[in-house]
Amino acid sequence: MKETVNLAVIGAGRIGRLHASHLAHRIAGARLVALADVRRQAAEQCAADLGVSKVFQDYRKVLDDPEVQAVVICSSTDTHARIISEAASAGKQIFCEKPIAQDLRQIDDALESVAEAGVKLQIGFNRRFDPNFRRIWELIREGKIGEPHLLRITSRDPAPPPMEYLRVSGGIFLDMMIHDFDMARYIVGQEVQELYAAGGVRIDPEIGKAGDVDTAVVTLKFSGGCFGTIDNSRKAVYGYDQRLEVFGSKGMADTENNTPNRARLITEEGFREDLPLYFFMERYTESYLNEMNAFIRCIRENADPLVTGADARAPVVMGKAAGLSLEQNRPVALSEVS
Amino acid sequence: MKETVNLAVIGAGRIGRLHASHLAHRIAGARLVALADVRRQAAEQCAADLGVSKVFQDYRKVLDDPEVQAVVICSSTDTHARIISEAASAGKQIFCEKPIAQDLRQIDDALESVAEAGVKLQIGFNRRFDPNFRRIWELIREGKIGEPHLLRITSRDPAPPPMEYLRVSGGIFLDMMIHDFDMARYIVGQEVQELYAAGGVRIDPEIGKAGDVDTAVVTLKFSGGCFGTIDNSRKAVYGYDQRLEVFGSKGMADTENNTPNRARLITEEGFREDLPLYFFMERYTESYLNEMNAFIRCIRENADPLVTGADARAPVVMGKAAGLSLEQNRPVALSEVS
Amino acid sequence: MKETVNLAVIGAGRIGRLHASHLAHRIAGARLVALADVRRQAAEQCAADLGVSKVFQDYRKVLDDPEVQAVVICSSTDTHARIISEAASAGKQIFCEKPIAQDLRQIDDALESVAEAGVKLQIGFNRRFDPNFRRIWELIREGKIGEPHLLRITSRDPAPPPMEYLRVSGGIFLDMMIHDFDMARYIVGQEVQELYAAGGVRIDPEIGKAGDVDTAVVTLKFSGGCFGTIDNSRKAVYGYDQRLEVFGSKGMADTENNTPNRARLITEEGFREDLPLYFFMERYTESYLNEMNAFIRCIRENADPLVTGADARAPVVMGKAAGLSLEQNRPVALSEVS
Amino acid sequence: MKETVNLAVIGAGRIGRLHASHLAHRIAGARLVALADVRRQAAEQCAADLGVSKVFQDYRKVLDDPEVQAVVICSSTDTHARIISEAASAGKQIFCEKPIAQDLRQIDDALESVAEAGVKLQIGFNRRFDPNFRRIWELIREGKIGEPHLLRITSRDPAPPPMEYLRVSGGIFLDMMIHDFDMARYIVGQEVQELYAAGGVRIDPEIGKAGDVDTAVVTLKFSGGCFGTIDNSRKAVYGYDQRLEVFGSKGMADTENNTPNRARLITEEGFREDLPLYFFMERYTESYLNEMNAFIRCIRENADPLVTGADARAPVVMGKAAGLSLEQNRPVALSEVS
């Protein structure tokens, strides 16, 4: 095991502050040495809270700092590809929030820089590190369900994001289902070759006016012969709904939604349990910690990242194929868009 | 409430004997007065077991018998349409096992005879009478989940039928998924307008050689804007798997698979529960009794059957559309095949 | 396998009619040939419903009838011991509803008659034949939980019986917990040596005025070193509550309460499942069928009954010990009362 | 809201380090300023890890330090009462791990010092802050189950502690069941008046030789008419088992054991879920954070502690009564020992 890794977090928004606080206190082998944010005050406030001395407005100062070995990129999505390239050139190890970009060319350029520089790049598909999904992954890897034949992912948000966000989000497939596309590849361990998307506006007509849908079902055909379905809704009134099922030649593995407690009440009106945890910050807390631990471990042990640049690219291709499929109401091969 | 209904069962195979034994002893208001089967011995054995005095080889004798008010048709599928027409002409009330026929023209002819004769016709889609699915249906009708947005049906058999059966079965969509097509319409309460089928051979290459698939996923688009998926497998090693989920604007309702008991064991190796009930005869016992009670009730109270001739036709149209969709790898509108 | 067994049911009240209808139609190898009830009309109505030709007011006519091989005694409790003795003398095989009597001397006399006559006697502790409890029993017999260390039985009725019944019932321990005393011995497979009872009036002061309690907790010490607790309430507003847990050196087995379906609803107000099955006639349907099948099988195969006369006696001893323990607020050894 | 609270942790063993790390990083409004441990190195190591500058071998240095407003006492049990008294005299707010002492006189002396000094004292009964048990508590307080009639607590450890610990532990009632005694009072909201204990040696004869039992069942009679049972085992092979059920006039609330994930596997061998979380450090993680947050809040808002000195005393009285009950095999009123 090598010595402590010195890191900087770029971007002090919600997710940046979360990673920063984990790195400051809860990740063994990590030391948070710098913070950067274009909104200087945000960076300064966060640094003060966490006892970090170096604060920058310009992320390039971070890249120039020889003390910084690794960067955690949490800035706005449109800056990810550029910062990855520059950080790679500066020889930094890189953790970057998803997606790298919505444009495949930009992704490819960033990945090329990383390859040339020979640095590590881990992508923030945190759900892979959720104890439920991770356990399903293990069961499959242990051969417990045999060859996977059918996959089903349910992924529903408690409420749509604000319209201003939604309009620039890239649409439901690139903004929301992209997580499920990643999960599908991760769990099944096969590439998707073709998909078919159906969907419509069931929640809010404003979403339709913005050219998007809020309810969608996608059928996946995997390279190894597995079939899958993903369903998304922008609004589950009962809260965040994140479930998964894999059926195979030797059995089936699935996972229930998480709930805040295991208490049950039974009265004249029936059995009752509490609602699931509200949204991703409540539901996936442990996964954020786990993914950062994995990143630090891969630096210290000089191992391969568990979520690679190729893992960043594939779900974007799937999202684009899904958009095309919905538009043309036909199955679309991924080779058409990649 | 009118007096007791006198019935005859036509066909003394597995399902015919089941209905006969229910009618003989367990359905209030029903009296089993006759049995018919081309295999005369089968009819006689069943009659002896149940204390029924009239036994015929030729079902026409049943239709000629003025004591018989209603017939329960359990003969082989290719005879259903013809017997329905003749029974209608003879003025009998009719319960017929599914499907009426795989040919739409034959179905239409039979339904026309029924309409002309003004008799009742109930189709044996027994799963509608299963306490689990019926409860979901009620919850939806009570408005508990609001407008349905997403439907998911999982339906997996414990093992494929013999190849000789499979070859003449009409294929997975008309033989197996037809139940789920009926369930989809029943639960959501909307008609399906278009569907897309994906599938392949994952269980047994022989099934592929017979021109069929053993694993399939179908996406449904409903008239009211709901989307659905159905997945089928011919072989779930853990037993019969029958589950359903409906997600709507106000909530979600789903149902777990039935198991033979509620016992749990927890040891050093983990929690453990028993496997689900093995196959449809174990799983749907109660539904067979319920559907026959409903048939007797609709005769005695002169009410409309709960599963109509139109309900018999629609799933066959869906099965044909699914076959075409799989063949041509494109979404198919039901209007193309009906 | 011997030929069909001809039976008579004595007592055409609720439970008598249930057994009669099972014997008439649903038990292979059994034939119901006669019915008797002091209320002649009740017997005649039941006989008409089930197509039984012999009807008697006086049960002695049944005992004199050489066609009758076995009797099912469902008359009022105060007649059980006498009818058992007379039926044994008449050489009939005997199934008797629990309890034989509340008086140990009467029980012993009846059991002596049975032993002298060499006939079979099975007692109607039907819960032993419930699929849930039976499964726990099997798991323990298979060694899955190792040596039993702790037993817990929860047994709560949906509502107290009418006061007129309660006043002559023998009290909560002999009327209600007697089932749990039997279950405790059956499941653990050890005899109880000492017990301690606590209880009070929490539901209805009238019950207290009648000298009884409606809420009780009993601690059991078994011969093999296992400890147990039983809790009873006369009123669970959510319905009949029948659960059991056994903890041992290698694991734990428990069983959930039965519910009428496996449907779940989740809305803004939380998860919800339906209430358990209301009371024993709904909850234990299968067990009544199973126990009668077992009785017929033991006659036809000349095997030992699964619930013996000794099994009838032991819970009465426990009930008396519990009453004494509650009265004197001290642990009572069963040897004090047996 | 007042300013930040400066705290010192006394005792840098397992639980002390846990509290220290929470106070250092995860409790808003708290600042860890000092650490003390008789094993100076332990204190120094912990201080280095957490960035705390003041380290002492003698806890009295902490009490003399004017910067320290509150102390968290995690030293060995035999020192608790004395340090509480001295800390109170020094005007510090006090959080103390349970129990204060096993001797009632020492507890009373410590509580008197606290009362005289007018400082706050919160006791570390962390299970009260577990989300499961807390939810049950809330449901009862909201009147959801009406008047409590029956309580059941199951509490089983994964493995007995080392014999050297066990010999000085005070026995199963003061060492292990003491948590359940606290939980019983907390949940039901009534005092226990009398109890009856049964128990034996089922796990390890060495425990018996040490004069203790490893398996025990206690019946509780509460002041308000509720009855309860607690069962304890020193060894549940499947892991830590912590469950609770309360039955009342309007319903029932219970809580399942926590498990590390919600994944299920179903194969030819049955349903399977993972084992529960292993032991208290894994199972009660959240409760330790919650109790410390509550302590800081009660200081900053000048509120009453949620676990008081009286709450520290009552379970010790119950433990002593249980020991006497087991010894003499009779119910013991708490008034006999308090």
Side-chain angles (χ1 to χ4, degrees), chain B residues 283-294:
Chain B
R283 168 71 170 76
Y284 285 119
T285 40
E286 212 170 332
S287 71
Y288 288 111
L289 208 52
N290 293 344
E291 72 173 354
M292 204 47 74
N293 268 312

Side-chain angles (χ1 to χ4, degrees), chain A residues 24-26 131-132 135-136 139 144-145 250-268 274, chain D residues 24-26 131-132 135-136 139 144-145 250-268 274:
Chain A
H25 303 313
R26 299 180 65 190
N132 287 353
R135 185 73 185 112
I136 300 290
L139 289 168
K144 289 293 200 308
I145 67 151
K250 292 188 183 164
M252 191 259 279
D254 68 359
T255 177
E256 258 301 327
N257 213 10
N258 274 14
T259 49
N261 61 63
R262 299 278 175 113
R264 301 187 310 169
L265 173 68
I266 173 165
T267 66
E268 281 179 302
D274 282 347
Chain D
H25 302 314
R26 299 181 65 191
N132 287 352
R135 186 71 184 113
I136 301 289
L139 289 168
K144 289 293 199 308
I145 67 150
K250 292 186 182 166
M252 190 258 279
D254 68 359
T255 177
E256 258 301 326
N257 212 10
N258 274 14
T259 48
N261 60 64
R262 299 278 176 113
R264 300 187 309 169
L265 172 69
I266 172 166
T267 66
E268 281 180 302
D274 281 347

Side-chain angles (χ1 to χ4, degrees), chain B residues 84-98:
Chain B
I84 287 176
S85 294
E86 293 179 25
S89 304
K92 309 300 187 195
Q93 312 294 347
I94 305 165
F95 179 99
C96 184
E97 276 302 317
K98 74 226 152 280

Side-chain angles (χ1 to χ4, degrees), chain C residues 82-100:
Chain C
R82 188 179 66 235
I83 301 181
I84 287 176
S85 294
E86 294 178 26
S89 304
K92 309 299 186 195
Q93 313 293 347
I94 305 165
F95 179 100
C96 184
E97 276 302 317
K98 74 227 154 281
I100 292 180

Side-chain angles (χ1 to χ4, degrees), chain B residues 5 115 148 169 184 199 207 216-217 253 287 300-301 315 337:
Chain B
V5 179
S169 69
I207 294 174
V217 174
S287 71
R300 297 177 88 192
E301 301 178 358
V337 293

Side-chain angles (χ1 to χ4, degrees), chain B residues 6-32:
Chain B
N6 292 328
L7 296 104
V9 169
I10 297 171
R14 184 165 57 171
I15 197 76
R17 289 197 306 272
L18 182 74
H19 285 313
S21 98
H22 287 171
L23 287 167
H25 302 313
R26 299 181 64 190
I27 309 284
R31 198 155 65 94
L32 180 64

